[in-house]
Amino acid sequence: MLEETQDREEIIERVAALDIGKAELTCCVRVPREGWPGRRLQEVETYSTMTGSLLRLADRLRCLG
């Protein structure tokens, strides 16, 4: 059963979500759009679960902050 919480709304500037499968994962990243207050950019990419691909994903996330 869902219950009401006392949480306050919190806006997170940069966020990433991962959908992880056995052979691949999909990453969705949302970041602020420079020069456009209140606007966001979104990127959705699919990566293999092999080490090299996961390291590329880690580098991409690091670059996006």
Side-chain angles (χ1 to χ4, degrees):
M1 176 192 323
L2 295 175
E3 297 178 17
E4 187 173 339
T5 68
Q6 300 300 319
D7 296 342
R8 295 180 184 205
E9 183 176 307
E10 181 178 346
I11 304 297
I12 299 174
E13 184 177 65
R14 296 171 181 274
V15 64
L18 301 175
D19 181 11
I20 303 171
K22 185 175 181 178
E24 66 182 20
L25 65 88
T26 302
C27 178
C28 175
V29 179
R30 297 193 68 185
V31 298
R33 184 172 179 181
E34 291 183 32
W36 293 78
R39 303 292 296 197
R40 302 179 67 70
L41 296 173
Q42 177 175 301
E43 175 180 286
V44 178
E45 294 288 332
T46 301
Y47 297 84
S48 122
T49 55
M50 302 301 288
T51 303
S53 184
L54 295 176
L55 291 172
R56 283 190 294 282
L57 168 61
D59 286 341
R60 182 65 181 145
L61 292 174
R62 194 174 300 111
C63 287
L64 293 171

